[in-house]
Amino acid sequence: MITGAEPTARVSGLIPPGASSPRVIELHAGQVWSVGRRDDGFLADRPELAAAHLAVPNALPDLSVRELELRVGTVGVAIRCHRGSSVVVDGSVRPEPVVLTLGTNYVSPTPSGLYVDFELTVLRAEDFGEPAVPADSGTTLLLKINLEPASLAWTVGHALAWPCMPSRRRPHNAGWSGRDVADRLEQLGWTIAEQNMITVLGRQLHGLAERVAYARLTDGRRADQVFPSWPPWLDEESSDETRDQRAERRNRYVAEALWRARAVGPDVIDG
């Protein structure tokens, strides 16, 4: 196995080779580990498999434990299921392969929840360096949209614009419907403290669209007086579109406008 000086990730809650109880295991780039029930009789004749097998504690000899494979890269870990089925991460069923990047996730070794999830923490991330900010040339038209930090609009704006950002983490769902934005809020661990979250989220998305529609440039001029057509989602309107399709197209343009106006930033997502 190829191992680097620094581990890519760390796993806890599983039993490493040669041990009888769970330990913390460091994962290095180039390694491939299997996760499942330990069959000592089977592994005794296969030392190469035994050396890379992580056992689920107290697993019974039935089909309740999935056989998972962990492939370790330099900045992430890919998880596959040997049977080609889905993988449960942080309580959500996701199609395999699931690629985990910087941060801590909880992976279920069983679809039934019979056994405790194991913890996988990715320690290394890509370094994109500091983003280069171009000098104002005097001819560049920059939008100005201010979102109050930690406000509900700021939170929804970041979840909405996440697919537009050069962030280290990527959203599971890069769609533009209200449900897609709600999925990204959940993925980020953010909540809307209202009983009818979708209704509140819809109002916030409408509010962000209004901010873009009535946005000004950094020199104080209104965007609709400068650009030939504003807001931008009006250019592609079609009578064949459904209401949902119009909303999704609008949300995509709003997300791009928030990113161009620097109203949202990847440091919030990656932090």
Side-chain angles (χ1 to χ4, degrees), residues 123-177:
L123 305 171
R124 301 172 67 180
E126 293 177 272
D127 184 4
F128 294 99
E130 291 297 322
V133 179
D136 189 354
S137 64
T139 60
T140 302
L141 300 177
L142 297 178
L143 283 171
K144 183 178 181 181
I145 302 173
N146 294 323
L147 299 179
E148 182 182 352
S151 65
L152 187 53
W154 179 89
T155 300
V156 173
H158 276 83
L160 171 64
W162 189 4
C164 300
M165 301 185 204
S167 59
R168 298 184 179 98
R169 297 178 62 191
R170 302 309 309 156
H172 303 158
N173 192 333
W176 301 106
S177 70

Side-chain angles (χ1 to χ4, degrees), residues 212 232-233 236 248-258:
V212 172
W233 54 86
E236 299 178 12
E248 289 182 33
R249 182 166 44 79
R250 180 206 67 200
N251 288 342
R252 175 167 58 86
Y253 277 111
V254 169
E256 293 171 353
L258 292 175

Side-chain angles (χ1 to χ4, degrees), residues 174-252:
W176 301 106
S177 70
R179 292 284 178 182
D180 296 330
V181 179
D183 177 67
R184 294 202 284 272
L185 284 166
E186 182 179 0
Q187 184 184 347
L188 290 165
W190 298 343
T191 57
I192 294 178
E194 295 285 346
Q195 190 170 11
N196 195 341
M197 188 186 79
I198 293 299
T199 300
V200 175
L201 179 59
R203 287 201 295 264
Q204 289 299 318
L205 292 173
H206 276 289
L208 290 171
E210 287 188 359
R211 288 175 186 249
V212 172
Y214 296 106
R216 292 179 177 269
L217 305 183
T218 50
D219 61 7
R221 292 179 294 169
R222 281 171 30 191
D224 62 347
Q225 294 179 337
V226 175
F227 298 113
S229 178
W230 193 264
W233 54 86
L234 296 181
D235 278 345
E236 299 178 12
E237 273 196 345
S238 169
S239 59
D240 297 332
E241 281 184 318
T242 66
R243 177 182 176 184
D244 288 343
Q245 288 172 329
R246 286 196 296 271
E248 289 182 33
R249 182 166 44 79
R250 180 206 67 200
N251 288 342
R252 175 167 58 86

Side-chain angles (χ1 to χ4, degrees), residues 18-39:
S20 58
S21 60
R23 308 281 175 84
V24 175
I25 308 111
E26 292 187 342
L27 309 184
H28 293 263
Q31 291 180 333
V32 180
W33 295 87
S34 64
V35 175
R37 185 182 71 88
R38 176 166 293 165
D39 185 334

Side-chain angles (χ1 to χ4, degrees), residues 60-80:
L60 299 174
D62 54 22
L63 297 178
S64 60
V65 172
R66 297 188 179 193
E67 287 290 329
L68 302 178
E69 178 187 84
L70 309 181
R71 287 189 172 269
V72 188
T74 55
V75 292
V77 177
I79 306 178
R80 303 191 72 112

Side-chain angles (χ1 to χ4, degrees), residues 54-107:
L54 302 175
V56 176
N58 304 317
L60 299 174
D62 54 22
L63 297 178
S64 60
V65 172
R66 297 188 179 193
E67 287 290 329
L68 302 178
E69 178 187 84
L70 309 181
R71 287 189 172 269
V72 188
T74 55
V75 292
V77 177
I79 306 178
R80 303 191 72 112
C81 183
H82 285 184
R83 300 188 186 95
S85 58
S86 56
V87 180
V88 180
V89 178
D90 294 333
S92 299
V93 179
R94 296 167 57 178
E96 61 99 33
V98 177
V99 179
L100 302 182
T101 54
L102 187 66
T104 298
N105 296 93
Y106 295 88
V107 183

